């Protein structure tokens, strides 16, 4: 391990320690010895008879250095402990922080982890009324993360990294995913864990490009055949669908935005003008195509329903939805392209 506690209960790096001092393990409070050599870097180690099972000596330098720096940064928010054991659930977060009569578990994740393990840890903390914040290391920051990976660690729309080399947090938020493009987001570097990020920038995508891309997919027969067949049976062509289906930027979908929005329009048509449906029924149908936890799924579905209302396709009345008008389909692709704003 590269960190330990001195007699004043302060975290000390092995590189800053001397053998004249006494140190204990942050996890079990057993005495540790400072070691150094020509090959291995300076580090702390348990004595041979140690029974420590809470503090790993095989963690990467990045992980341990990050935990030490995080503990130092987070002291401004409250009492901080590294690798504190929570006996009721047999879990030990990287950092346990007490703030405003609330315990917060900080998990500093530098290596891959399954959704199952994340869910298990989160459930354990929740059972003890402990909030949890997942902070990612540099390995995640430098990668082009998939939507599935992002959603593993997303908390209230925010993704947080900590980079020990520059000793800064990186906050990503306002995630968007236009069809045929990579995930977009706003990124901010900061010295603070808790950071508010606002954005007034409205970024649009190239609608014509999206239409031509979809045309190529149809030619290559890479579009759901059942959907194409359904439209054909109703004397419609996919490329003649309303422009609105190409304007989506919802993040976290299991299908393209255009397909999700088209399905929403087909659901509205099935209900029929002048008819009413409970919002919960429509929401339940839409969330089948959203990744993430149930809260995130419902948030995305409600956003789409609000967009339908903005287009005057529907009118929301409390928990009910009235279908107000049908979307306009185009007679040709050329007519549709002519309606694209330049």
């Amino acid at each position: 391990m590269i960190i330990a506690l001195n007699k004043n209960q302060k975290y000390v790096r092995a590189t800053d320690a001397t053998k004249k001092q006494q140190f204990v393990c942050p996890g079990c409070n057993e005495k540790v010895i400072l070691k150094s050599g020509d090959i291995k870097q300076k580090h702390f180690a348990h004595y041979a008879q140690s029974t420590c099972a809470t503090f790993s000596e095989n963690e990467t330098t990045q992980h341990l250095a990050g935990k030490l720096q995080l503990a130092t940064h987070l002291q401004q928010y409250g009492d901080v402990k590294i690798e504190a054991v929570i006996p009721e659930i047999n879990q030990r977060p990287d950092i346990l922080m007490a703030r405003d009569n609330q315990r917060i578990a900080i998990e500093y994740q530098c290596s891959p982890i399954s959704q199952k393990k994340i869910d298990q840890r989160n459930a354990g903390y929740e059972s003890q009324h402990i909030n949890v914040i997942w902070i990612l290391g540099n390995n995640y920051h430098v990668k082009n993360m998939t939507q599935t990976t992002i959603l593993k660690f997303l908390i209230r729309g925010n993704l947080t990294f900590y980079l020990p080399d520059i000793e800064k947090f990186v906050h990503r938020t306002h995630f968007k995913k236009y069809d045929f493009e990579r995930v977009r987001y706003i990124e901010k570097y900061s010295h603070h864990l808790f950071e508010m990020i606002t954005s007034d920038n409205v970024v649009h995508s190239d609608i014509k490009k999206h239409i031509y891309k979809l045309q190529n997919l149809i030619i290559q027969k890479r579009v759901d055949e059942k959907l194409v067949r359904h439209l054909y049976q109703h004397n419609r062509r996919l490329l003649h669908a309303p422009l609105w289906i190409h304007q989506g930027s919802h993040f976290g979908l299991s299908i393209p935005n255009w397909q999700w929005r088209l399905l929403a329009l087909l659901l509205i048509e099935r209900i029929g003008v002048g008819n009413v449906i409970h919002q919960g029924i429509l929401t339940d149908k839409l969330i089948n195509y959203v990744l993430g936890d149930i809260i995130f799924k419902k948030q995305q579905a409600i956003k789409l329903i609000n967009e339908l209302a903005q287009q005057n396709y529907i009118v929301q009345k409390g928990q009910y939805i009235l279908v107000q008008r049908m979307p306009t389909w185009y007679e040709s692709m050329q007519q549709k392209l002519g309606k694209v704003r330049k």
Side-chain angles (χ1 to χ4, degrees), residues 71-251:
T72 302
H73 280 295
L74 297 178
Q75 285 176 348
Q76 62 183 303
Y77 301 114
D79 181 59
V80 171
K81 294 181 180 178
I82 290 183
E83 297 270 353
V85 178
I86 304 171
E88 295 86 351
I89 55 176
N90 194 30
Q91 287 182 220
R92 49 184 179 88
D94 290 318
I95 297 172
L96 186 63
M97 180 170 65
R99 184 190 188 208
D100 298 331
N101 297 319
Q102 174 65 54
R103 290 188 296 173
I104 302 174
I106 307 292
E107 291 283 7
Y108 184 51
Q109 195 65 34
C110 297
S111 57
I113 183 173
S114 69
Q115 184 68 61
K116 182 179 179 180
K117 287 187 177 180
I118 292 175
D119 291 341
Q120 289 174 341
R121 292 189 192 180
N122 287 345
Y125 295 133
E126 184 178 357
S127 71
Q128 300 302 307
H129 307 289
I130 299 174
N131 291 331
V132 59
I133 299 176
W134 289 85
I135 300 178
L136 305 180
N138 186 68
N139 291 342
Y140 281 97
H141 184 254
V142 298
K143 289 181 178 179
N144 179 28
M145 298 172 66
T146 65
Q147 292 186 88
T148 302
T149 302
I150 293 171
L151 285 167
K152 283 183 181 180
F153 308 104
L154 201 64
I155 299 176
R156 291 182 291 277
N158 297 317
L159 195 66
T160 303
F161 304 82
Y162 183 74
L163 311 182
D165 290 345
I166 60 175
E167 299 189 19
K168 281 188 177 182
F169 293 95
V170 181
H171 300 280
R172 289 179 183 172
T173 187
H174 299 289
F175 288 89
K176 293 181 181 294
K177 176 64 174 72
Y178 291 96
D179 290 334
F180 312 109
E181 297 182 14
R182 290 184 178 182
V183 175
R184 297 185 186 183
Y185 50 81
I186 294 175
E187 183 173 86
K188 182 177 181 180
Y189 287 71
S190 171
H191 288 291
H192 306 286
L193 172 59
F194 303 102
E195 187 79 42
M196 293 295 294
I197 303 176
T198 58
S199 173
D200 297 325
N201 296 328
V202 179
V203 181
H204 297 287
S205 194
D206 189 335
I207 301 299
K208 283 190 176 182
K209 179 180 178 181
H210 288 190
I211 295 173
Y212 285 123
K213 288 275 190 179
L214 179 56
Q215 183 183 44
N216 287 334
L217 291 182
I218 296 172
I219 293 172
Q220 297 168 16
K221 296 184 178 181
R222 294 170 57 191
V223 173
D224 186 350
E225 292 183 4
K226 291 182 180 179
L227 177 59
V228 175
R229 191 181 309 119
H230 172 81
L231 294 177
Y232 180 77
Q233 291 171 350
H234 289 79
N235 298 316
R236 286 175 170 171
R237 296 185 62 185
L238 177 53
L239 289 175
H240 299 172
L243 278 174
W244 183 78
I245 74 166
H246 305 288
Q247 298 169 352
S249 61
H250 288 265
F251 169 78

Side-chain angles (χ1 to χ4, degrees), residues 48-66:
Q49 68 273 20
S50 172
T51 59
C52 178
T54 62
F55 200 81
S56 172
E57 296 184 13
N58 296 318
E59 293 178 277
T60 64
T61 300
Q62 177 192 149
H63 190 241
L64 285 171

Side-chain angles (χ1 to χ4, degrees), residues 16-34:
D16 299 328
T18 65
K19 291 188 176 182
K20 294 180 180 180
Q21 300 170 287
Q22 292 185 345
F23 301 95
V24 297
C25 169
C28 65
N29 276 325
E30 292 181 3
K31 288 184 178 181
V32 293
I33 184 173
L34 178 66

Side-chain angles (χ1 to χ4, degrees), residues 207-212 215 239 243 330 332-342:
I207 301 299
K208 283 190 176 182
K209 179 180 178 181
H210 288 190
I211 295 173
Y212 285 123
Q215 183 183 44
L239 289 175
L243 278 174
Y330 297 96
S332 67
M333 184 171 168
Q334 288 71 25
Q335 181 191 28
K336 181 175 178 176
L337 291 172
K339 296 294 184 179
V340 178
R341 292 181 180 179
K342 296 180 179 181

